[in-house]
Amino acid sequence: MKKTVILFAFAIAFISCNKTTETKEFKTAYIDTSKLMEESTEAKDIEAKYKDKAKVMGNQLEAEVARFKSEAASFRQNAQANGQAWAQQKGTELQKREQELNYAQQAMLQQLQQESGVEMDSLVKSYRNVIKEFGKEKKFDYVYGTGEAASILYAKDSYDISKEIIKMVNDKYKSTDKKEAVSKEEPAKEAKK
C-alpha cells in the first residue's frame, strides 16, 4: 500500500514537471512622474500662481517688517533719553511685535503650502485618472511610475510613455483653458448689448 501511494505521488510529480508552463507576456510601460510634473503646463501654472501669491503676501509682510525695524531703530536711539522704565516697556512691546511678525510669516507660509498642496493633490489625482484611461485604451497590463518616488529602478526607454502623457494632459489643459476663456467672454458680450 505504501509503495502504491509513493508510486502515485511520484507519478503526479513527474506529470506536473513535464507540463509545459504557459507564460503570458504583459504589455507594460512607465511614466517619469517627475518629468510629467515639470513639463505639465497646468502644474507650471499652479506653481506660478502660488509664487505670485507668495510675492503679494510677502510684500505686505515686508511692509510690516520695515515698520518694525524703524520702530526698533527709534527705540535704540531713544532708550537712554527716556529712561529704563520706558526702555523696558517699549522693549517688551517690540519683542511681542517681532514675535507676532514671525507668527504671521509662519502662518502665511503654512497657508500657501496647504492651498498649493490641495491643488497639486487634485492635479495628481486627475493625472492618475488620465494615465489609467490611457492604459486601458492602449491595452497595457501595467503602467509604472518613476521619478522621485521611484518604483522602477531600470526600464528600457522604449517603454517610456511620458512624452505621450505630457502631450495629452497639456492638450487637455489647453482645451479647458480655451473653453473657460470663451465662457468668460460671453457674459461680457451680453453686457455690452
Side-chain angles (χ1 to χ4, degrees), residues 167-185:
K167 182 181 179 344
M168 195 164 62
V169 297
N170 285 343
D171 290 348
K172 182 179 177 184
Y173 179 64
K174 286 176 188 172
S175 69
T176 58
D177 238 12
K178 289 177 184 173
K179 288 177 188 174
E180 287 175 9
V182 168
S183 65
K184 287 179 183 177
E185 289 175 6

Side-chain angles (χ1 to χ4, degrees), residues 5-152:
V5 172
I6 292 173
L7 204 53
F8 184 68
F10 182 70
I12 291 175
F14 182 72
I15 291 170
S16 65
C17 287
N18 282 340
K19 276 189 177 176
T20 55
T21 55
E22 189 178 308
T23 58
K24 180 181 178 188
E25 291 189 29
F26 294 102
K27 186 174 178 185
T28 64
Y30 73 93
I31 298 167
D32 186 337
T33 54
S34 295
K35 188 188 285 186
L36 173 62
M37 296 309 284
E38 288 170 8
E39 295 181 20
S40 158
T41 306
E42 189 171 4
K44 287 178 187 177
D45 287 351
I46 290 171
E47 187 177 328
K49 172 184 169 183
Y50 284 99
K51 277 185 181 179
D52 291 344
K53 194 170 185 177
K55 191 174 183 177
V56 169
M57 292 172 84
N59 288 341
Q60 294 169 348
L61 194 59
E62 282 181 28
E64 296 278 331
V65 169
R67 276 193 294 259
F68 170 77
K69 286 181 179 180
S70 174
E71 287 178 32
S74 174
F75 165 76
R76 284 190 286 277
Q77 289 175 349
N78 297 324
Q80 284 185 332
N82 292 331
Q84 187 175 357
W86 179 86
Q88 284 180 338
Q89 180 185 359
K90 191 68 173 175
T92 303
E93 289 174 15
L94 286 174
Q95 284 178 337
K96 183 179 176 187
R97 181 127 161 81
E98 182 179 27
Q99 201 172 36
E100 288 171 353
L101 286 172
N102 286 334
Y103 289 146
Q105 182 181 20
Q106 289 173 356
M108 178 192 77
L109 291 173
Q110 193 173 27
Q111 177 188 352
L112 288 171
Q113 286 175 341
Q114 187 177 14
E115 288 176 8
S116 68
V118 167
E119 278 196 59
M120 290 306 279
D121 287 348
S122 176
L123 181 64
V124 167
K125 187 176 180 180
S126 167
Y127 284 178
R128 281 187 183 145
N129 290 334
V130 167
I131 293 165
K132 185 177 179 179
E133 291 303 314
F134 181 83
K136 284 180 182 178
E137 180 184 314
K138 299 292 183 176
K139 296 184 177 22
F140 284 108
D141 293 302
Y142 298 98
V143 177
Y144 300 100
T146 65
E148 290 178 24
S151 56
I152 296 177

